[in-house]
Amino acid sequence: QVQVVESGGGLVQPGGSLRLSCAASGFTFSNFAMNWYRQAPGKERELVARISSGGGTTRYADFVKGRFTISRDNVNKRVYLQMNSLKPEDTAVYYCKADFLRNSYWGQGTQVTISS
């Protein structure tokens, strides 16, 4: 059974940090590129960061470059999103997505709220 489960969201003040985690099971994790997306109320879901299957290549949306870092642990089948210097506009539900060829698996999301 395929499972993609995000955790680590919460309420943080502007300028703070959070580390999101995504645990995967039920598929060959090391074959899959992993992505973090986010969706704010009333907006479309957008790509935040992506990491290749082996972890050697990463890509970031312009609005998080220099603030967020994606990483993965293929032994423990996890992907992480370290988020620093958080802004109110980073408030959204953050989703983890696994991609390989025509297969895609989404998690249920974790809420991140940036507010004072």
Side-chain angles (χ1 to χ4, degrees):
Q1 181 183 0
V2 171
Q3 285 194 313
V4 177
V5 181
E6 303 93 337
S7 60
L11 172 63
V12 176
Q13 291 188 344
S17 298
L18 274 177
R19 189 192 194 205
L20 304 183
S21 179
C22 171
S25 62
F27 58 95
T28 306
F29 182 77
S30 58
N31 285 347
F32 282 69
M34 297 299 295
N35 310 269
W36 285 99
Y37 283 75
R38 71 184 187 187
Q39 187 167 21
K43 295 188 176 181
E44 292 188 354
R45 194 170 297 189
E46 58 186 358
L47 178 65
V48 174
R50 178 179 174 89
I51 188 166
S52 61
S53 58
T57 301
T58 56
R59 190 174 81 205
Y60 297 92
D62 286 344
F63 52 78
V64 302
K65 280 183 180 176
R67 299 190 298 125
F68 291 11
T69 303
I70 188 170
S71 61
R72 66 188 294 159
D73 177 351
N74 281 356
V75 173
N76 293 302
K77 301 181 181 180
R78 286 183 175 267
V79 62
Y80 303 98
L81 186 67
Q82 178 66 44
M83 306 187 295
N84 299 327
S85 303
L86 285 161
K87 306 174 182 180
E89 51 263 44
D90 293 318
T91 295
V93 177
Y94 283 72
Y95 297 91
C96 181
K97 179 190 174 191
D99 277 328
F100 177 57
L101 300 178
R102 288 177 290 180
N103 298 303
S104 292
Y105 307 124
W106 287 91
Q108 83 292 344
T110 185
Q111 176 69 47
V112 172
T113 303
I114 312 304
S115 176
S116 55

